[in-house]
Amino acid sequence: MLTIRRAREQDLPYILKIQAEAFGEYEGTYETTAWTKETLENIKLDAKDKVLLVAEWDGAVVGSVRFWNAGGVCVIRLLSVSPAHQGRGIGKALMGEIEKYAADAHKLHVCTMLRASRNIAMFLNLGYRPESLLPDQYHHAHLICFSKYLKPAS
């Protein structure tokens, strides 16, 4: 059974492990060490000013995501699902939970690697629309950014 909740400090090592596994699948296509080698100190700093959610499957942490609101834009990053649990709707459930937390935002914004076709398909299926391409970004990765508007401009 799937449960989504806010992360606790004891979840942080599990988040790092899952993130390393999920992003590690792209090693060779992209330089992923920024995501696969993140330290506990770094994630603790992130947790001070961002919301971290975890997904639990039968009591085990199997996914996570981080987000924050900046000027009405909910910035989403590091959506990660354990490769052994992908394809079960966990990423979609995490994204859906963000929309509940982002009630003050008018827009959701997320980027993924341009060659991450599963991620791109998921964001499109969730109603996100491509907004920009960011060539030669972190460690020369090519990113595609998506947005979903929650409230019309006034």
mmCIF file with all atom_site columns, all heavy atoms in Angstrom, residues 20 60 119 125:
data_model
loop_
_atom_site.group_PDB
_atom_site.id
_atom_site.type_symbol
_atom_site.label_atom_id
_atom_site.label_alt_id
_atom_site.label_comp_id
_atom_site.label_asym_id
_atom_site.label_entity_id
_atom_site.label_seq_id
_atom_site.pdbx_PDB_ins_code
_atom_site.Cartn_x
_atom_site.Cartn_y
_atom_site.Cartn_z
_atom_site.occupancy
_atom_site.B_iso_or_equiv
_atom_site.pdbx_formal_charge
_atom_site.auth_seq_id
_atom_site.auth_comp_id
_atom_site.auth_asym_id
_atom_site.auth_atom_id
_atom_site.pdbx_PDB_model_num
ATOM 1  N N   . ALA A 1 20  ? 20.237 8.003  -5.432  1.00 0.00 ? 20  ALA A N   1
ATOM 2  C CA  . ALA A 1 20  ? 21.431 7.469  -6.098  1.00 0.00 ? 20  ALA A CA  1
ATOM 3  C C   . ALA A 1 20  ? 21.063 6.344  -7.062  1.00 0.00 ? 20  ALA A C   1
ATOM 4  O O   . ALA A 1 20  ? 21.584 6.273  -8.177  1.00 0.00 ? 20  ALA A O   1
ATOM 5  C CB  . ALA A 1 20  ? 22.439 6.977  -5.056  1.00 0.00 ? 20  ALA A CB  1
ATOM 6  N N   . ALA A 1 60  ? 8.046  0.835  3.654   1.00 0.00 ? 60  ALA A N   1
ATOM 7  C CA  . ALA A 1 60  ? 9.430  1.124  3.270   1.00 0.00 ? 60  ALA A CA  1
ATOM 8  C C   . ALA A 1 60  ? 9.464  2.370  2.388   1.00 0.00 ? 60  ALA A C   1
ATOM 9  O O   . ALA A 1 60  ? 8.635  2.523  1.485   1.00 0.00 ? 60  ALA A O   1
ATOM 10 C CB  . ALA A 1 60  ? 10.027 -0.061 2.509   1.00 0.00 ? 60  ALA A CB  1
ATOM 11 N N   . ASN A 1 119 ? 10.159 10.016 -17.742 1.00 0.00 ? 119 ASN A N   1
ATOM 12 C CA  . ASN A 1 119 ? 9.813  11.210 -16.970 1.00 0.00 ? 119 ASN A CA  1
ATOM 13 C C   . ASN A 1 119 ? 9.007  12.183 -17.821 1.00 0.00 ? 119 ASN A C   1
ATOM 14 O O   . ASN A 1 119 ? 8.005  12.741 -17.368 1.00 0.00 ? 119 ASN A O   1
ATOM 15 C CB  . ASN A 1 119 ? 11.070 11.906 -16.454 1.00 0.00 ? 119 ASN A CB  1
ATOM 16 C CG  . ASN A 1 119 ? 11.879 11.060 -15.512 1.00 0.00 ? 119 ASN A CG  1
ATOM 17 O OD1 . ASN A 1 119 ? 11.497 9.951  -15.160 1.00 0.00 ? 119 ASN A OD1 1
ATOM 18 N ND2 . ASN A 1 119 ? 13.027 11.573 -15.104 1.00 0.00 ? 119 ASN A ND2 1
ATOM 19 N N   . ASN A 1 125 ? 1.508  13.409 -19.156 1.00 0.00 ? 125 ASN A N   1
ATOM 20 C CA  . ASN A 1 125 ? 0.269  12.752 -18.723 1.00 0.00 ? 125 ASN A CA  1
ATOM 21 C C   . ASN A 1 125 ? -0.363 13.435 -17.518 1.00 0.00 ? 125 ASN A C   1
ATOM 22 O O   . ASN A 1 125 ? -1.577 13.346 -17.322 1.00 0.00 ? 125 ASN A O   1
ATOM 23 C CB  . ASN A 1 125 ? 0.517  11.279 -18.419 1.00 0.00 ? 125 ASN A CB  1
ATOM 24 C CG  . ASN A 1 125 ? 0.726  10.468 -19.671 1.00 0.00 ? 125 ASN A CG  1
ATOM 25 O OD1 . ASN A 1 125 ? 0.255  10.817 -20.745 1.00 0.00 ? 125 ASN A OD1 1
ATOM 26 N ND2 . ASN A 1 125 ? 1.459  9.363  -19.545 1.00 0.00 ? 125 ASN A ND2 1
#
